[in-house]
Amino acid sequence: CEKLMAWNIAQCKEMIRVARETDRCLSIGHQRHYSMLYAHAVEVLNAGEIGDIKHIRAFWHRNNTMPKLDKDGQPIMEELVDHRTGKPTGIRIPALRDGWRPDIPQEDRLELQEKIRQLGYQSVEELCRWRLYDRTGGGLMAELGSHQLDACSIFLGKVKPLAVTAIGGKYFYRDDREAEDHVYCTFEFPGKNYWKDYAQGVVGDKDDVVVVTYSSINTNSYEPWGECVMGTRGTMIVEKEETVMLYGSGGKGTSMTTSTAGAGAAATTAASTWEAATAKGKSALGGDGPVSRGYREEMEHFAYCVKMWEDKNVKKEERPHPRCEGIVAMADAIVALTANRAMRGDRESNFQPKRIVFQKEWFDPQSDAVPDAEMKVQEVS
């Protein structure tokens, strides 16, 4: 299945339970688990090249503010349609270049209109622009943030967050979308020496916390997407899933070089003047083609897992499992959807932003405890 694993956490737990009960292999599409670039980055971190991680800044920024123009170079205006009813509102707004709000050709609209509710949608708008609405999507945190908080968790040893505070809103768009166009989140993750559990006799440092910030905006793409990992001896920047840059304690430099490596390898060259180095992932197919982002490897491994699960000669306990199986992907969904809840608040906080502490039971598929108990699927009448 693709990410986000499900619309709420109760559905995630149901998927895991059913997969186990029916002995099915369940894999979710968080492709960074299969990215060679991220694998190399983790090797660098585990080798202690940048020291102890103390802060990660993750971001996914885009600029959708450019208007669509007609053949005369004039902005195109469009009539706003209510996504709940599919009826025009009489309000005209500028048409912007926004992949989440694609144009709906009139012939498609007419063809779908008669059967749209049979398909489970309220309107053609909700079907074609599903990312924009609460009933069908999870906003920026589900679509983008889940990938990057997944990466941050991998960098920190696949740990789960302790707490989240967030703020966001519709700060730019004036259309009928319900999803925020800007989000800003602060997560607290356990450091490598963080206190574990006094009840079990495990003692650690309760102040060893790594702060992870995440921002996703729609109005400026100066920094497109990536993660900046800051340690006690240096910094690592992963940019656009295709480049890793390392900086020593001297700070960020301006001169960087990249050497050439064989297929499937990372190449690193130090720029001594600025204490900087870069590494670029290579195509999984060899040569100097596009950097692999893990999609092909992910699908190949899933097919391999299915083949081995069907092999009667392979014992159940020896079966391979996808790197992002249900329980792993559920954690990503919990992180993303809990951030939404922190951002939007609830009745308890009078719908004001709040800090939420993650509970261990949320991550247990056998427990009915979920962070989003109020989220119920609204059926189409």
Side-chain angles (χ1 to χ4, degrees):
C1 299
E2 255 299 347
K3 68 97 191 87
L4 206 54
M5 182 176 176
W7 184 77
N8 62 19
I9 305 307
Q11 292 174 334
C12 293
K13 294 192 174 188
E14 182 180 8
M15 290 172 70
I16 295 172
R17 292 170 185 165
V18 171
R20 289 176 177 176
E21 291 167 0
T22 58
D23 198 30
R24 293 293 184 268
C25 183
L26 174 63
S27 180
I28 310 297
H30 286 279
Q31 78 275 3
R32 280 170 174 79
H33 289 270
Y34 291 91
S35 164
M36 288 302 296
L37 188 77
Y38 277 83
H40 290 315
V42 170
E43 288 180 2
V44 170
L45 295 175
N46 290 343
E49 290 296 324
I50 69 169
D52 293 340
I53 299 174
K54 292 301 179 184
H55 175 53
I56 301 178
R57 186 174 67 87
F59 47 90
W60 196 315
H61 298 165
R62 302 176 296 176
N63 190 335
N64 296 338
T65 65
M66 298 301 294
K68 295 179 181 178
L69 305 177
D70 62 19
K71 58 183 177 58
D72 297 320
Q74 298 301 310
I76 296 174
M77 302 296 290
E78 62 178 358
E79 186 170 20
L80 193 61
V81 175
D82 188 328
H83 72 277
R84 291 173 293 271
T85 64
K87 296 180 179 179
T89 62
I91 301 173
R92 293 178 63 78
I93 60 173
L96 301 174
R97 299 182 185 278
D98 177 7
W100 284 19
R101 199 172 187 276
D103 293 332
I104 306 174
Q106 185 63 21
E107 58 269 27
D108 290 350
R109 185 183 296 277
L110 293 173
E111 181 180 343
L112 288 167
Q113 199 68 55
E114 296 301 318
K115 56 184 178 181
I116 196 67
R117 290 182 177 267
Q118 298 174 18
L119 297 173
Y121 294 90
Q122 295 177 324
S123 64
V124 176
E125 279 68 27
E126 191 181 72
L127 168 64
C128 299
R129 301 167 178 172
W130 58 271
R131 287 183 173 92
L132 302 180
Y133 310 116
D134 293 341
R135 205 185 71 86
T136 49
L140 290 168
M141 286 309 301
E143 292 300 310
L144 304 179
S146 60
H147 274 308
Q148 295 192 272
L149 270 299
D150 182 39
C152 293
S153 175
I154 292 173
F155 291 152
L156 294 170
K158 299 185 179 179
V159 296
K160 298 176 176 62
L162 304 169
V164 60
T165 307
I167 189 169
K170 267 179 62 173
Y171 301 145
F172 172 71
Y173 290 109
R174 295 297 177 263
D175 54 29
D176 67 332
R177 75 186 63 208
E178 294 164 340
E180 295 85 1
D181 53 41
H182 279 222
V183 299
Y184 307 91
C185 308
T186 301
F187 292 86
E188 301 159 47
F189 275 83
K192 68 176 185 178
N193 297 313
Y194 181 74
W195 166 80
K196 300 294 190 262
D197 190 344
Y198 279 122
Q200 299 297 321
V202 181
V203 180
D205 182 359
K206 65 180 178 62
D207 295 319
D208 185 16
V209 172
V210 178
V211 173
V212 175
T213 60
Y214 178 73
S215 61
S216 184
I217 66 176
N218 278 272
T219 54
N220 190 300
S221 59
Y222 174 68
E223 295 178 301
W225 74 91
E227 300 86 34
C228 176
V229 185
M230 300 182 180
T232 55
R233 290 169 48 195
T235 300
M236 180 180 74
I237 297 177
V238 184
E239 188 176 82
K240 297 172 67 174
E241 300 178 70
E242 62 184 21
T243 304
V244 175
M245 291 170 280
L246 298 175
Y247 300 95
S249 57
K252 187 174 182 180
T254 57
S255 176
M256 295 165 287
T257 59
T258 304
S259 65
T260 302
T268 304
T269 301
S272 57
T273 304
W274 294 98
E275 298 183 88
T278 67
K280 280 186 176 289
K282 306 298 287 185
S283 169
L285 302 178
D288 294 318
V291 173
S292 171
R293 293 179 178 170
Y295 295 109
R296 180 189 179 98
E297 295 84 347
E298 178 182 56
M299 296 306 297
E300 287 178 342
H301 189 246
F302 177 61
Y304 170 72
C305 289
V306 171
K307 179 180 179 181
M308 297 301 287
W309 279 44
E310 292 180 341
D311 189 333
K312 304 302 182 183
N313 296 317
V314 178
K315 297 179 181 178
K316 188 172 183 178
E317 61 271 17
E318 295 177 352
R319 291 171 174 173
H321 287 260
R323 294 178 189 172
C324 192
E325 55 186 339
I327 196 165
V328 177
M330 182 176 71
D332 294 324
I334 290 171
V335 170
L337 298 180
T338 304
N340 279 347
R341 182 182 158 207
M343 191 185 317
R344 300 167 184 175
D346 51 27
R347 291 186 180 88
E348 184 181 299
S349 66
N350 197 25
F351 298 100
Q352 295 300 309
K354 59 187 293 187
R355 178 178 182 268
I356 297 178
V357 176
F358 289 87
Q359 305 298 315
K360 183 167 37 174
E361 294 78 14
W362 296 349
F363 299 92
D364 179 3
Q366 300 306 316
S367 170
D368 291 329
V370 294
D372 51 357
E374 294 182 352
M375 289 183 65
K376 305 294 183 183
V377 178
Q378 301 172 15
E379 300 296 338
V380 176
S381 60

